[in-house]
């Protein structure tokens, strides 16, 4: 049997990145401010995690305007959804194996 | 074993984040208590109006009047109906204003935005069964079937809560079940509408609100 650790996604090692993905999985889109409040992190920290996720093709950014303010929203991509589900099932398998 | 616990924690984190991001969690228990108190005051006022109009219709003059004119009974009914609708509207507005106030204060305290996707979803999902119920109940009043109004209020409100519970604190579901159950019981013992209405909108709200406040907001 293959070692399930190999299936664990390195990108999701970070609690914040996993948190962002969790929020995006259950919402059509989440904007930057809502993510910041949910994760309770600083701007710089959040921005760098978002960048990592986007570079891996797991999330999509879209910028639009509400009045004069920019509103940046994030959605999960097909690839992101697949990677997240695989990560969860790897976690579940490991719990079963270890238990 | 440590590793297993760590993975379990990660899964719990994921679940928590999914819930936090998709549910409106600022709903304050104090809002429930305030709504319950408004309902009890309203029920007390309504009871006064019903009793005094019953006394009035039993006075000698009114009985005389009724013998001579067939309309006076209907007039009294309309007057009573209008007064009760005014009380109900007053209770609804007071409960909404106070309910909003306490939830607003809580959202300020926990630093979560009050108006967002989660609030919108909660509002839409609680509103649909309640608006449908409202239209249905107005028709019942229109055709003079007052006996079904109180059970109807409880049942439709319970369905609204049940529908909304997916988008806010999960405990709202139990308040919904309790309202529906009370509504069904009151269908079986017709003639005690106001009492059941006061139990559901007054007592249940206060019990629920106090429990939620104790569980989440006590500090």
């Amino acid at each position: 049997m293959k070692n399930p650790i190999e299936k664990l996604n390195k990108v999701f090692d970070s609690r914040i990145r996993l948190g962002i993905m969790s929020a995006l999985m259950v919402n059509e889109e989440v904007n930057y401010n809502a993510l910041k409040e949910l994760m309770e992190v600083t701007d710089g920290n959040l921005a760098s995690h978002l960048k990592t996720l986007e570079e891996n093709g797991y999330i999509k950014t879209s910028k639009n305007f509400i009045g004069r303010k920019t509103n940046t929203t994030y959605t999960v991509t097909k690839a992101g959804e697949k990677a997240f589900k695989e990560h969860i099932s790897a976690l579940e398998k490991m719990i079963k194996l270890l238990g | 074993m440590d590793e297993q616990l760590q993975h379990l924690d990660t899964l719990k984190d994921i679940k928590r984040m999914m819930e936090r991001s998709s549910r409106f969690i600022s709903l304050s228990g104090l809002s429930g208590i305030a709504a319950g108190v408004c309902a009890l005051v309203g029920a007390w006022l309504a009871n006064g109006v019903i009793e005094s109009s019953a006394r009035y219709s039993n006075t000698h003059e009114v009985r005389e009047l009724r013998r001579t004119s067939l309309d006076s009974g209907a007039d009294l009914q309309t007057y009573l109906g209008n007064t009760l609708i005014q009380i109900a509207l007053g209770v609804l507005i007071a409960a909404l204003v106070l309910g909003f106030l306490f939830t607003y204060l809580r959202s300020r305290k926990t630093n979560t935005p009050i108006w967002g996707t989660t609030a919108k979803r909660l509002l839409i999902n609680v509103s649909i069964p309640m608006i449908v119920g409202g239209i249905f109940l107005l028709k019942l009043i229109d055709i003079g079937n007052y006996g079904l109004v109180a059970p109807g209020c409880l049942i439709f409100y319970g369905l609204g809560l049940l529908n909304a519970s997916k988008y806010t604190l999960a405990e709202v579901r139990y308040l919904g079940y309790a309202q529906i159950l009370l509504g069904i019981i009151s269908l079986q013992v017709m003639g005690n509408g106001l009492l059941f209405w006061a139990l559901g909108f007054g007592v249940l709200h206060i019990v629920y609100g106090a429990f939620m406040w104790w569980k989440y907001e006590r500090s």
Side-chain angles (χ1 to χ4, degrees):
Chain A
M1 190 176 168
K2 258 181 96 177
N3 185 353
I5 294 179
E6 289 167 27
K7 291 250 179 180
L8 281 182
N9 195 326
K10 281 270 180 289
V11 180
F12 300 145
D13 269 355
S14 139
R15 276 184 65 150
I16 293 168
R17 288 199 285 271
L18 200 58
I20 294 169
M21 289 300 287
S22 311
L24 294 183
M25 286 295 286
V26 289
N27 290 283
E28 271 172 51
E29 55 171 39
V30 182
N31 73 24
Y32 183 85
N33 289 331
L35 278 179
K36 199 180 143 193
E37 269 149 18
L38 279 168
M39 303 304 148
E40 292 161 347
V41 286
T42 60
D43 279 312
N45 206 341
L46 181 61
S48 84
H49 286 301
L50 285 167
K51 199 163 160 239
T52 311
L53 287 171
E54 197 175 12
E55 280 168 359
N56 279 280
Y58 293 163
I59 64 171
K60 220 169 50 197
T61 309
S62 51
K63 280 196 167 94
N64 44 54
F65 286 87
I66 298 179
R68 267 183 219 159
K69 275 189 188 163
T70 49
N71 179 38
T72 313
T73 58
Y74 300 89
T75 48
V76 68
T77 62
K78 280 256 158 66
E81 213 171 295
K82 190 165 169 270
F84 184 81
K85 281 180 182 158
E86 279 172 2
H87 186 74
I88 301 241
S89 62
L91 280 173
E92 281 171 347
K93 269 190 201 127
M94 291 184 66
I95 291 169
K96 273 185 202 141
L97 277 182
L98 292 163
Chain B
M1 209 49 201
D2 270 359
E3 205 180 337
Q4 190 187 11
L5 283 179
Q6 192 193 324
H7 293 321
L8 270 176
D9 267 356
T10 313
L11 286 179
K12 268 186 211 147
D13 267 359
I14 292 171
K15 187 171 170 247
R16 198 180 63 94
M17 197 48 73
M18 285 178 163
E19 283 197 351
R20 247 175 74 93
S21 67
S22 61
R23 288 169 190 261
F24 182 77
I25 49 172
S26 299
L27 208 59
S28 169
L30 296 178
S31 294
I33 296 177
V37 170
C38 289
L40 287 183
V41 171
W44 179 73
L45 287 176
N47 189 45
V49 171
I50 292 169
E51 271 186 357
S52 69
S53 81
R55 263 200 310 276
Y56 172 73
S57 64
N58 271 331
T59 54
H60 180 68
E61 299 88 79
V62 176
R63 263 182 290 170
E64 277 301 301
L65 212 73
R66 204 176 286 161
R67 233 189 341 211
T68 49
S69 116
L70 289 168
D71 280 344
S72 66
D75 279 350
L76 187 67
Q77 274 290 3
T78 321
Y79 164 77
L80 184 61
N82 284 342
T83 317
L84 290 181
I85 288 175
Q86 277 164 15
I87 293 173
L89 278 178
V91 168
L92 181 69
I93 291 167
L96 283 177
V97 168
L98 286 175
F100 176 80
L101 178 75
F102 287 115
T103 291
Y104 173 74
L105 289 177
R106 180 161 181 223
S107 81
R108 284 271 298 268
K109 214 166 160 188
T110 57
N111 214 4
T112 40
I114 189 153
W115 187 243
T117 332
T118 53
K120 231 177 289 176
R121 263 193 301 220
L122 172 63
L123 220 56
I124 290 171
N125 282 285
V126 77
S127 297
I128 293 171
M130 284 187 42
I131 290 171
V132 173
I135 294 169
F136 186 78
L137 294 176
L138 282 178
K139 186 67 199 170
L140 279 183
I141 293 171
D142 193 33
I143 60 170
N145 201 334
Y146 301 104
L148 288 173
V149 173
C153 282
L154 290 166
I155 291 171
F156 282 109
Y157 179 57
L159 290 173
L161 291 178
L162 198 60
N163 201 37
S165 66
K166 295 187 279 288
Y167 306 99
T168 183
L169 300 162
E171 288 86 347
V172 168
R173 166 177 295 267
Y174 300 108
L175 181 61
Y177 285 141
Q179 302 282 10
I180 293 171
L181 193 68
L182 206 59
I184 291 171
I185 295 171
S186 96
L187 278 178
Q188 312 306 318
V189 277
M190 294 292 283
N192 291 307
L194 192 61
L195 175 71
F196 278 94
W197 194 92
L199 274 179
F201 287 92
V203 178
L204 281 184
H205 270 149
I206 292 173
V207 169
Y208 164 84
F211 172 77
M212 294 303 275
W213 180 83
W214 191 79
K215 186 169 174 192
Y216 293 109
E217 292 160 71
R218 183 178 48 128
S219 49

